[in-house]
Amino acid sequence: MAIKADFHLHSSFSGDSEAPMEDMIQKGISLGLTQMCFTEHMDFDFPVSQDTPAGFFEVNTDSYLYDLLKYQAKYREQIQIFFGIELGLQAYLNELQSAYTSAYDFDFIIGSSHLCNGRDPYNAGFYTGRSEEEAYREYFSSIIENLETFHDFDIYGHLDYVVRYGPNKDKNYTYETYKDLFDRMLDLLLENGIGIEINTGGIRYGLKELHPCTDVLKRYRKKGGELITVGSDAHRPGDICREFGRAEELLRDCGFTYYAVFHKRTPSFRKL
Ligand code: HSO
Ligand code: ZN
Ligand code: ZN
Ligand code: ZN
């Protein structure tokens, strides 16, 4: 395993994970990781539903940091542990998001779209009464709106996350279909020095490719993009580093020879 850093990880500080942080760390060590970055969920104003009570995706950041510092010290000889956050972006919350990102000394901030115009693409209702392409277009357009108005984060998470949940998932999905939107997205990322991630978590949803799909990654490379982290989006120990062999192969195929890690919001590059 050449990629020895997993930069997208959840533990029980995230509403949708039951994994104790220490179990995640011990598994990471046993897999031979040298670095792991926790990126707990912080989604402000997430709609309340039966599975998501109020505040479900809002990490208690002080408790999270307290435990993280404790384990950082306890495991310091074995692994480096970083303090990250996965911030759910919505343009009407930009001020609140900015205040939050500057209130803590995060090592790494993933900006992610889990909601789009207040609605959750995880729910079937997001797709009813219109074509799948229309729903996907709404999702990608909201990423563009975020990138036009908010930049206090390091990389954009799982760019094509929406295809995990559409009625046909990624069966009919190609970069070409959404080329206009992806090209705008990639230009905004590059203009603002924001990177992307390879997120291997899509495999758990039966997708044929990782996030983002190969052609998006190739396009990013062609435009001069170089800032890419790799993360499993694990919510339990068994998913840490899952499909990292495939992520490495994909990076190489697209012409990358490095991947990025972050410390104190500053990237450094590690050879594949
Ligand atoms: N944001 C979660 C999935 C989700 N669950 C959306 C409820 N709504 C991905 O980790
Ligand atoms: Zn989650
Ligand atoms: Zn996410
Ligand atoms: Zn995540």
Side-chain angles (χ1 to χ4, degrees):
M1 186 182 68
I3 297 173
K4 290 192 153 54
D6 193 332
F7 265 63
H8 191 144
L9 292 167
H10 299 273
S11 75
S12 58
F13 288 104
S14 291
D16 58 353
S17 166
E18 267 150 36
M21 183 179 271
E22 190 164 20
D23 290 3
M24 295 293 282
I25 293 166
Q26 288 177 349
K27 180 70 181 187
I29 293 169
S30 76
L31 288 166
L33 289 179
T34 57
Q35 299 178 317
M36 56 200 299
C37 183
F38 286 93
T39 52
E40 308 293 355
H41 284 297
M42 180 54 102
D43 284 77
F44 293 112
D45 204 24
F46 201 91
V48 173
S49 73
Q50 221 162 17
D51 331 307
T52 58
F56 188 75
F57 285 119
E58 292 178 34
V59 61
N60 180 332
T61 315
D62 295 305
S63 308
Y64 162 38
L65 178 57
Y66 182 89
D67 275 18
L68 187 119
L69 291 171
K70 183 173 77 187
Y71 295 129
Q72 244 174 12
K74 180 169 175 184
Y75 292 99
R76 93 165 351 114
E77 305 286 298
Q78 289 146 85
I79 194 163
Q80 273 184 297
I81 297 164
F82 296 105
F83 179 43
I85 200 80
E86 181 178 16
L87 183 61
L89 304 183
Q90 293 198 263
Y92 71 93
L93 296 169
N94 284 348
E95 278 184 35
L96 182 59
Q97 292 166 187
S98 279
Y100 179 68
T101 60
S102 53
Y104 292 91
D105 287 324
F106 291 116
D107 286 310
F108 179 52
I109 301 175
I110 300 178
S112 285
S113 286
H114 295 131
L115 296 168
C116 158
N117 301 311
R119 298 206 300 156
D120 190 345
Y122 176 89
N123 297 326
F126 187 75
Y127 308 92
T128 51
R130 55 173 168 174
S131 68
E132 188 176 69
E133 180 176 337
E134 239 174 292
Y136 288 4
R137 283 194 164 268
E138 186 193 351
Y139 179 85
F140 295 136
S141 302
S142 85
I143 293 184
I144 292 171
E145 189 191 359
N146 287 328
L147 282 169
E148 282 171 341
T149 59
F150 186 73
H151 309 115
D152 295 341
F153 60 104
D154 302 308
I155 67 118
Y156 218 107
H158 44 55
L159 275 188
D160 49 14
Y161 164 89
V162 70
V163 310
R164 285 183 187 179
Y165 305 115
N168 304 293
K169 298 196 173 189
D170 60 351
K171 202 168 140 240
N172 310 311
Y173 161 67
T174 64
Y175 155 73
E176 278 299 325
T177 313
Y178 305 95
K179 187 180 190 311
D180 52 327
L181 299 175
F182 278 118
D183 284 352
R184 175 77 181 132
M185 230 185 266
L186 296 176
D187 288 341
L188 284 162
L189 288 162
L190 290 163
E191 275 167 32
N192 292 288
I194 296 165
I196 59 175
E197 67 168 353
I198 292 186
N199 181 307
T200 61
I203 296 306
R204 297 200 295 276
Y205 298 82
L207 302 182
K208 53 185 191 238
E209 294 196 53
L210 309 177
H211 299 293
C213 68
T214 310
D215 288 345
V216 170
L217 212 56
K218 286 196 168 143
R219 190 74 181 148
Y220 178 64
R221 175 73 193 148
K222 200 157 179 212
K223 286 177 176 285
E226 348 197 66
L227 192 56
I228 305 184
T229 58
V230 183
S232 63
D233 210 347
H235 290 62
R236 55 192 180 94
D239 287 328
I240 299 174
C241 289
R242 191 158 163 204
E243 301 292 341
F244 269 28
R246 201 165 151 188
E248 181 182 344
E249 203 178 302
L250 174 62
L251 280 168
R252 286 190 201 280
D253 275 359
C254 295
F256 298 97
T257 52
Y258 293 86
Y259 65 100
V261 296
F262 278 81
H263 178 45
K264 296 185 187 294
R265 308 280 316 271
T266 304
S268 53
F269 293 87
R270 303 188 60 174
K271 221 169 170 28
L272 278 173

